[in-house]
Amino acid sequence: MASKINPRFAEELKQYGSVNFNACYNCGNCTAVCSLSTPEQSFPREMVRLSALGLEDELKQSLKPWECYYCGECTTQCPQTANPGELMMSLRRWLTAQYDWTGLSGLLYRSLSFTIAALLLVAAGVLLFARSTGFDAERLIHVGHLFEMLAIGTVFLVIFVPNLLRMWYFTIVKQKVRVPLKSYFSALPELFVNMFTQKRAKDCDEDDNFRWLEHMVLVFAYLSLLFTTVFLNWFGSEHLFVILLGYLESLLVFVITIHFVSGRIKRNKSLNKFSQPSDWLFVIWLLLMGLSAFLVRLFIDLQLLENNIWMHILHLTVLAQWALIIVPFGKWTHFLYRSFAHYFVKIKTMQEA
Amino acid sequence: MNEEKKIIHYDALVVGGGIAGGEAALNLANSGYRVLLVEKERSLGGKMILLSKVFPTLDCSACITTPKVSEIARHKNITIFTESEVTTIDKRSENDFVAQITKKPRYVHVEDCTACQLCEQACPVSVRDEYQQGLIGRKAAFIPFSIANPKAAAIDIENCTLCGACEKVCPTHCIDFTMQPEQFELHARTVVMATGFNLFDPLEIPRYGYGQHKNVITSMQMEREIAPTRPFNTILRPGDGKVPDKIAYVLCAGSRDASVGNPICSQICCMYSIKQAQLLMGALPMADVTIYYINIRSFGKGFEEFYQQAKGMGVSFVKGKIGTIKEKENGNLILRYEDISEGVVKEAEHDMVVLSVGVKSNPDAGKIFPQGALKLDPHRFVAQTDLMGSPAKTSIDGVFVAGTASAPMDIPDSILSAGSASSEAISYIKQHQEA
Ligand SMILES: Cc1cc2nc3c(=O)[nH]c(=O)nc-3n(C[C@H](O)[C@H](O)[C@H](O)COP(=O)(O)OP(=O)(O)OC[C@H]3O[C@@H](n4cnc5c(N)ncnc54)[C@H](O)[C@@H]3O)c2cc1C
Ligand code: SF4
Ligand code: SF4
Ligand code: SF4
Ligand code: SF4
């Protein structure tokens, strides 16, 4: 099971944003000050060690990077300024690339030019399509709606299901975890509770729950906006309740993301000090999604859309880039993998019990 | 006050009366040079005179320091200014260093004081005793400590209420509140800087709770508790006076830690902690002593054997830096750390914790010379400009450095370094004799 030591792994990890972790002198202070570290799941020092040695198999099989919510305490207190918090973040990006069978995740993380090319390609596709409809608002809204449903289904079946299976294979099967099938059911609450509440992140900052609350509101707002547009057909709806609901959700999405973006600009927390292109992409596109959706509906209600079809094309472009690049291959997946990581950890503890 | 400035002449000025400065002064004096030794505290001896025993020989520190200090004090070629500050040193020519020195009033005529301690008994003011590291109190009229040199009373004017009680009881009438600061202008032909080190201030690491958790103390406080001239007759934890039976040492507290601005190793704390652990095993045979470390640095002569000896005596060594210390209601402490050998985060309960605080530079040395003429290294120790060839040399020709003023080091190395500084100083004087 032990893989080969690979000193060059540090170079690879650097492309995923790691900083200075080779300065680590293995003191364990980071683990001791981490409020999420437990005797069963002690991190991040072990991850720093495995990364320094380049033991890729062990890293691939570990769920610990997903247990970290990047409070940054370890980084602040690290006596060697080895930045273990940022290492955990880069490992999450690296793991995302390992789980992804298409290899696109890794490419997008490692290469900014590839990311920009992909974004431009999608934008061009949307424009071509819009031209083919003769810039007809009605049709655009209709197709946009269909696209959304189709994208969700495809991404789920073609990308997420196989990638989650791969994650399961690395972290459960390869680790020789043997549990009865019913454990997979009884652990399910762990999956959903973490997915929707990120309850573990609350232990991160004992005295400041605001970030956690903000994040949770964002997750709910985003997911319900998705539901409102896809299943309640927000842009086509006549129901006052649905219309107002959509406004509220999209408003929350872009207001909270504006706050996140400004935090990253100000670098006010360790979490915000070393933003990678993927981090910027994620928050900015989420912001644009919320904002453009809000404006499209506003244009509809003010009967401006007919003459300002560009607004909707803009929204469609952002939406398509989001759904085809960021959701399947970018930072969005962290949300999914993290929830599943908690689920798998729970399953593992069931084996030991 | 300038009118009253006294002009004095010596061959050498030694700044700092710790073991390094004392040794350098002695070497110069024994070679026939006249030395002025300036010390800012009320006694000579520096940190060493306050220590218990010394690694790796376990000799009694006071028994080595006291005779040496009295030899210095009695030497006909050495003049000592205690409670004195060198404010500036100006190099006028190759053999004329001009130093401005302020001697603070002690309010006691040292020559007449018999150290009868009657003033101490009479004084109504109690404050924390700095020489006992704050573990007990002392009076405002006091003898600094039992083996201080000079051994004479002093008045702590900051805390004195000027009630006059001490003056009345003093049988030799040596207490004199009319004393004034004295100014001196010294001309010397060479200078030895032996200003020593400062201890790391553990308040800079709030997560260790020093100053808040009553039973978290520093290693210097523990030195006092186990020294022959100790404040209590046994080892007590300060919170409630209980004799501790589960003592923890936190190594690298404020050293090798960039997050508190001190990334370098202090060189002495591994060894003095092992020493204290051994002494504690002797003093409290039933106690458990655990040392939490990152790496044990036992690099010197006899050090590794000393470390193995501690293991053999039953001292526990755990690899893992202490992350946080929390206090329980009964005064016990919970230490959180990662046990590196198992890769598991753990919590351990101890009833007393000793922070093995590190060595910080004493920035005084750099301030004395005008416009940064005396170069400091990145950690603000006096820079050794020819480390390999002539380690006592500084950026100013004729100014030499001795002991921990140049870097963290133990006593043997401080004395060696003082030997090097004094012989460099002597050859400097000789070279510039006729100029
Ligand atoms: C807890 C502890 C335990 C230790 N145990 C051991 C041991 O067992 N064995 C061992 O080998 N070493 C031990 N050491 C190390 C030892 O204390 C040092 O190596 C030694 O004291 C260094 O001597 P020094 O003269 O260089 O410095 P210091 O002892 O710091 O002396 C410097 C002197 O200069 C004076 N001074 C400073 N600035 C000025 C100024 N501007 N003007 C005038 N005077 C000034 C100071 O008041 C002081 O008296 C221990 C240290 C500590 C903290
Ligand atoms: S605190 Fe820093 S130096 Fe210590 S183990 Fe963690 S990363 Fe390494
Ligand atoms: S960033 Fe916070 S949660 Fe993550 S490892 Fe460091 S201390 Fe733990
Ligand atoms: S005069 Fe000052 S030192 Fe003397 S007894 Fe009174 S308070 Fe104490
Ligand atoms: S001597 Fe030991 S305790 Fe002191 S700083 Fe160095 S490694 Fe740490």
Side-chain angles (χ1 to χ4, degrees):
Chain A
M1 123 141 186
S3 53
K4 266 213 199 115
I5 286 177
N6 173 14
R8 261 197 255 130
F9 182 62
E11 282 158 38
E12 182 178 343
L13 213 50
K14 211 167 163 184
Q15 299 182 303
Y16 290 87
S18 72
V19 194
N20 201 31
F21 71 89
N22 263 331
C24 167
Y25 62 23
N26 206 30
C27 70
N29 196 52
C30 45
T31 309
V33 299
C34 170
S35 46
L36 298 179
S37 224
T38 60
E40 296 73 36
Q41 293 283 98
S42 298
F43 57 87
R45 185 202 55 92
E46 191 193 36
M47 296 295 113
V48 183
R49 205 73 219 128
L50 294 178
S51 305
L53 294 172
L55 296 177
E56 293 175 51
D57 285 352
E58 277 79 352
L59 285 168
K60 229 197 287 193
Q61 291 168 20
S62 178
L63 290 165
K64 289 178 183 178
W66 299 112
E67 300 248 330
C68 158
Y69 280 89
Y70 209 160
C71 66
E73 197 55 19
C74 54
T75 290
T76 319
Q77 310 289 1
C78 168
Q80 284 289 90
T81 55
N83 214 322
E86 194 59 30
L87 176 87
M88 295 296 269
M89 186 71 225
S90 347
L91 281 177
R92 289 193 285 277
R93 297 185 191 116
W94 180 80
L95 282 177
T96 310
Q98 304 310 303
Y99 300 156
D100 181 24
W101 68 270
T102 65
L104 285 173
S105 269
L107 260 175
L108 287 163
Y109 275 123
R110 289 192 305 263
S111 162
L112 181 60
S113 25
F114 182 79
T115 307
I116 294 173
L119 289 171
L120 289 176
L121 198 71
V122 171
V126 173
L127 274 179
L128 281 178
F129 161 74
R131 215 184 61 165
S132 75
T133 66
F135 298 105
D136 175 54
E138 198 100 353
R139 266 212 70 197
L140 272 178
I141 290 190
H142 179 68
V143 174
H145 185 207
L146 273 183
F147 166 79
E148 231 173 329
M149 298 221 248
L150 201 69
I152 291 177
T154 318
V155 165
F156 185 77
L157 285 176
V158 179
I159 308 293
F160 289 158
V161 170
N163 286 357
L164 284 170
L165 279 172
R166 279 164 64 87
M167 179 185 182
W168 170 77
Y169 176 74
F170 295 143
T171 60
I172 299 283
V173 179
K174 278 232 171 180
Q175 286 267 16
K176 302 205 171 60
V177 178
R178 300 227 188 295
V179 285
L181 198 59
K182 82 171 198 298
S183 301
Y184 283 90
F185 289 102
S186 44
L188 272 178
E190 191 73 13
L191 174 67
F192 292 111
V193 168
N194 275 297
M195 194 175 270
F196 293 109
T197 67
Q198 306 239 326
K199 75 172 165 40
R200 291 263 306 174
K202 231 175 120 204
D203 302 330
C204 229
D205 281 319
E206 275 159 24
D207 23 68
D208 176 18
N209 278 330
F210 187 70
R211 180 167 95 99
W212 167 77
L213 195 73
E214 215 183 6
H215 196 275
M216 189 171 82
V217 172
L218 181 62
V219 169
F220 272 100
Y222 165 72
L223 290 176
S224 48
L225 178 62
L226 200 68
F227 184 83
T228 314
T229 42
V230 176
F231 297 105
L232 302 180
N233 191 13
W234 183 33
F235 292 155
S237 176
E238 309 267 298
H239 292 284
L240 189 62
F241 174 75
V242 173
I243 296 173
L244 289 181
L245 186 69
Y247 272 129
L248 177 71
E249 292 155 350
S250 51
L251 186 80
L252 280 172
V253 167
F254 78 79
V255 167
I256 294 178
T257 42
I258 285 177
H259 186 223
F260 284 175
V261 170
S262 80
R264 285 199 182 269
I265 292 173
K266 284 189 249 153
R267 302 171 160 225
N268 52 359
K269 294 188 183 126
S270 322
L271 156 80
N272 288 337
K273 286 215 174 92
F274 296 93
S275 302
Q276 288 288 304
S278 56
D279 302 321
W280 288 113
L281 207 63
F282 180 75
V283 280
I284 293 176
W285 254 252
L286 196 52
L287 193 165
L288 292 176
M289 284 259 297
L291 189 63
S292 62
F294 186 89
L295 289 176
V296 166
R297 182 67 231 195
L298 194 69
F299 277 36
I300 294 175
D301 289 335
L302 300 177
Q303 275 145 19
L304 291 171
L305 197 66
E306 292 290 333
N307 299 323
N308 289 285
I309 196 65
W310 58 270
M311 184 65 236
H312 194 252
I313 295 175
L314 192 82
H315 174 67
L316 263 187
T317 311
V318 172
L319 187 74
Q321 289 163 331
W322 175 258
L324 297 178
I325 300 173
I326 301 174
V327 171
F329 308 112
K331 205 179 167 173
W332 193 93
T333 54
H334 291 206
F335 160 77
L336 191 72
Y337 295 140
R338 195 197 284 286
S339 317
F340 272 88
H342 286 297
Y343 174 56
F344 291 155
V345 167
K346 181 82 186 176
I347 289 170
K348 279 172 117 176
T349 55
M350 288 177 163
Q351 158 183 269
E352 277 135 36
Chain B
M1 228 167 354
N2 251 358
E3 292 80 63
E4 294 165 32
K5 196 196 280 179
K6 297 186 193 84
I7 313 253
I8 50 178
H9 290 266
Y10 283 88
D11 292 317
L13 165 65
V14 176
V15 187
I19 193 64
E23 178 73 13
L26 214 47
N27 290 338
L28 281 153
N30 285 338
S31 312
Y33 295 99
R34 291 177 58 252
V35 180
L36 180 69
L37 177 57
V38 179
E39 166 58 52
K40 74 171 176 199
E41 285 297 326
R42 296 182 181 93
S43 168
L44 295 178
K47 313 274 189 309
M48 186 182 172
I49 204 166
L50 300 174
L51 300 181
S52 54
K53 294 188 175 174
V54 287
F55 66 77
T57 56
L58 288 185
D59 287 321
C60 153
S61 185
C63 316
I64 308 169
T65 328
T66 337
K68 196 152 215 159
V69 164
S70 44
E71 189 186 346
I72 298 162
R74 284 198 318 266
H75 205 292
K76 67 175 183 3
N77 284 343
I78 302 178
T79 304
I80 295 164
F81 282 6
T82 51
E83 292 169 274
S84 299
E85 202 189 333
V86 179
T87 46
T88 60
I89 301 178
D90 196 16
K91 183 177 178 179
R92 300 249 171 101
S93 71
E94 290 307 321
N95 56 9
D96 187 19
F97 290 86
V98 183
Q100 306 300 329
I101 301 170
T102 310
K103 195 169 195 278
K104 282 186 235 138
R106 192 174 176 113
Y107 304 108
V108 172
H109 292 287
V110 170
E111 349 32 282
D112 299 330
C113 174
T114 61
C116 67
Q117 292 180 292
L118 287 174
C119 54
E120 237 176 65
Q121 285 161 25
C123 178
V125 176
S126 281
V127 292
R128 280 190 179 265
D129 183 342
E130 61 269 50
Y131 299 101
Q132 297 287 15
Q133 305 296 310
L135 289 167
I136 51 168
R138 64 155 170 85
K139 295 300 183 62
F142 70 115
I143 299 198
F145 47 95
S146 57
I147 55 171
N149 192 309
K151 186 163 180 185
I155 308 294
D156 167 7
I157 206 73
E158 303 273 296
N159 291 299
C160 165
T161 61
L162 293 176
C163 72
C166 54
E167 224 176 345
K168 277 190 216 110
V169 297
C170 177
T172 63
H173 306 291
C174 62
I175 296 174
D176 174 4
F177 284 101
T178 67
M179 278 181 153
Q180 292 290 325
E182 293 175 83
Q183 305 291 336
F184 294 89
E185 180 176 300
L186 163 76
H187 292 260
R189 300 200 282 167
T190 182
V191 177
V192 174
M193 297 302 292
T195 42
F197 67 101
N198 287 345
L199 285 168
F200 173 79
D201 179 1
L203 291 175
E204 284 182 41
I205 310 183
R207 58 182 208 277
Y208 286 169
Y210 182 77
Q212 265 174 339
H213 308 341
K214 292 181 277 320
N215 298 317
V216 176
I217 65 169
T218 67
S219 50
M220 203 61 196
Q221 289 177 311
M222 184 53 101
E223 283 292 332
R224 293 311 306 152
E225 288 220 20
I226 48 186
T229 53
R230 56 193 174 178
F232 320 123
N233 244 334
T234 178
I235 321 296
L236 302 177
R237 61 177 203 175
D240 50 11
K242 174 179 172 281
V243 177
D245 51 28
K246 207 162 182 285
I247 304 166
Y249 275 83
V250 178
L251 296 202
C252 300
S255 314
R256 300 179 72 194
D257 188 344
S259 76
V260 293
N262 189 28
I264 60 171
C265 169
S266 291
Q267 313 231 359
I268 54 170
C269 12
C270 277
M271 292 311 291
Y272 76 54
S273 305
I274 292 173
K275 166 193 76 179
Q276 292 188 357
Q278 293 193 18
L279 296 174
L280 284 169
M281 298 295 266
L284 307 170
M286 303 309 288
D288 289 332
V289 182
T290 308
I291 294 183
Y292 295 93
Y293 68 95
I294 302 177
N295 310 97
I296 293 292
R297 299 209 154 154
S298 52
F299 51 86
K301 183 173 170 182
F303 288 11
E304 180 62 21
E305 292 79 354
F306 194 66
Y307 169 33
Q308 296 307 333
Q309 175 174 308
K311 278 191 179 168
M313 287 170 77
V315 177
S316 313
F317 287 85
V318 175
K319 185 170 167 69
K321 184 177 164 76
I322 297 299
T324 56
I325 301 177
K326 298 233 156 64
E327 191 181 41
K328 284 185 38 174
E329 222 158 277
N330 63 3
N332 286 1
L333 301 142
I334 306 291
L335 281 63
R336 191 173 143 100
Y337 64 100
E338 183 183 355
D339 186 331
I340 303 289
S341 62
E342 296 172 23
V344 170
V345 63
K346 290 184 180 172
E347 290 192 338
E349 183 168 343
H350 290 271
D351 55 6
M352 191 170 180
V353 172
V354 182
L355 302 179
S356 295
V357 288
V359 171
K360 293 278 291 226
S361 55
N362 174 0
D364 278 12
K367 292 182 199 145
I368 293 175
F369 292 86
Q371 286 126 36
L374 188 72
K375 296 253 154 45
L376 304 183
D377 71 13
H379 309 294
R380 309 225 286 158
F381 289 96
V382 176
Q384 295 157 288
T385 47
D386 185 9
L387 184 61
M388 293 298 150
S390 186
K393 276 200 174 141
T394 68
S395 59
I396 305 176
D397 210 17
V399 175
F400 303 95
V401 63
T404 50
S406 64
M409 63 181 86
D410 61 10
I411 295 162
D413 282 352
S414 298
I415 293 178
L416 278 166
S417 148
S420 154
S422 47
S423 57
E424 291 272 2
I426 291 168
S427 68
Y428 180 86
I429 298 177
K430 291 241 179 213
Q431 274 168 34
H432 296 90
Q433 209 126 41
E434 49 289 308

